[in-house]
Amino acid sequence: MPDNKKIAVVRCAIVAEACPGIGCFKAFNEKTVAFSDYDENTEMTAFFTCGGCPGRRVFRLARSLKKHGVETVHLSSCMQMENYPECPHVDSIRQTLENAGIEVVEGTHH
């Protein structure tokens, strides 16, 4: 049996107040949109918010993600779309994850 690929999603703390993440999980479970390249051996291991501007939780959580075998983090659609509050820190969040040796994929369900 092959090892599961472990992924996570980071999302906007502001949007999380109104969004339960159903679109992200639906896309993951159905392997559509940004999750279309994954198979049944992919496990969503973590689903977390950035912690609020300027993405203050990401640096602290990156080490924990690596410790638990997370290889890839998706930047949620809400962090990148025009119809949500614009994330002014998405580039630094991406860089923080990449600096920790985590692959970053843009988008989830849009």
Side-chain angles (χ1 to χ4, degrees):
M1 176 183 207
D3 289 337
N4 286 352
K5 178 177 176 77
K6 295 181 179 183
I7 68 166
V9 171
V10 59
R11 64 194 194 129
C12 173
I14 295 168
V15 175
E17 293 177 17
C19 174
I22 290 170
C24 292
F25 277 99
K26 184 174 192 266
F28 174 76
N29 290 333
E30 295 177 359
K31 303 298 183 266
T32 60
V33 194
F35 302 108
S36 63
D37 290 336
Y38 298 125
D39 62 21
E40 67 278 353
N41 294 317
T42 305
E43 173 185 333
M44 186 170 319
T45 304
F47 188 80
F48 61 100
T49 71
C50 64
C53 293
R56 57 192 173 87
R57 291 181 72 207
V58 177
F59 178 78
R60 290 180 292 183
L61 293 178
R63 187 176 323 148
S64 179
L65 293 169
K66 289 290 287 184
K67 181 174 117 180
H68 291 283
V70 172
E71 303 169 37
T72 303
V73 172
H74 283 252
L75 301 176
S76 64
S77 297
C78 63
M79 295 178 74
Q80 302 173 72
M81 294 182 62
E82 293 179 14
N83 58 329
Y84 291 103
E86 182 178 350
C87 176
H89 306 287
V90 70
D91 291 332
S92 64
I93 290 169
R94 180 186 306 103
Q95 191 64 56
T96 297
L97 293 165
E98 289 174 348
N99 288 348
I102 299 171
E103 176 190 21
V104 175
V105 174
E106 297 195 13
T108 52
H109 64 292
H110 288 284

